[in-house]
């Protein structure tokens, strides 16, 4: 947020992307046990892991003109984990 204040008038936007658990080979290995997976997913209101493409789309949004009036924001992409 400090960077957003410092550089905003120069047309520089500073936002952050806050991902939840994303399905990757490493996480798939860690969650290969069904009981462990169930214990983790119970904390994600959407009931699933995120996909890398979903995170990429959020990053693309932040990099695009569609977010031209956003700065100092934290975009949470976590399937509702923080809300839950």
């Amino acid at each position: 947020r400090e960077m957003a204040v410092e550089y905003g008038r120069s047309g520089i936007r500073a936002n952050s992307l806050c991902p939840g658990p994303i399905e990757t080979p490493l996480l798939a290995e860690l969650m290969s046990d069904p009981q462990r997976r169930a214990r983790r997913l119970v904390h994600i209101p959407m009931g699933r892991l995120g996909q890398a493409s979903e995170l990429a789309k959020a990053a693309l949004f932040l990099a695009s003109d569609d977010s031209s009036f956003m700065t100092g924001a934290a975009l949470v992409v976590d399937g509702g984990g923080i809300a839950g």
Side-chain angles (χ1 to χ4, degrees), residues 62-83:
L62 288 177
S64 75
D65 287 339
D66 290 339
S67 67
S68 61
F69 198 57
M70 279 181 73
T71 193
L75 184 58
V76 179
V77 183
D78 71 349
I82 287 178

Side-chain angles (χ1 to χ4, degrees), residues 15-23 27 40 43-63 70 73-84:
N15 297 298
S16 62
L17 189 57
C18 306
I22 302 298
E23 194 165 332
L27 196 54
R40 178 66 173 153
H43 298 288
I44 304 171
M46 294 188 79
R48 65 176 180 84
L49 299 175
Q51 299 297 311
S53 62
E54 293 170 312
L55 201 55
K57 289 174 185 175
L60 183 60
F61 167 71
L62 288 177
M70 279 181 73
L75 184 58
V76 179
V77 183
D78 71 349
I82 287 178

Side-chain angles (χ1 to χ4, degrees), residues 27 30-45 47-49:
L27 196 54
L30 292 171
M31 295 182 65
S32 60
D33 173 37
Q35 289 179 333
R36 179 182 281 175
R37 183 177 185 87
R39 281 194 309 268
R40 178 66 173 153
L41 292 181
V42 74
H43 298 288
I44 304 171
R48 65 176 180 84
L49 299 175

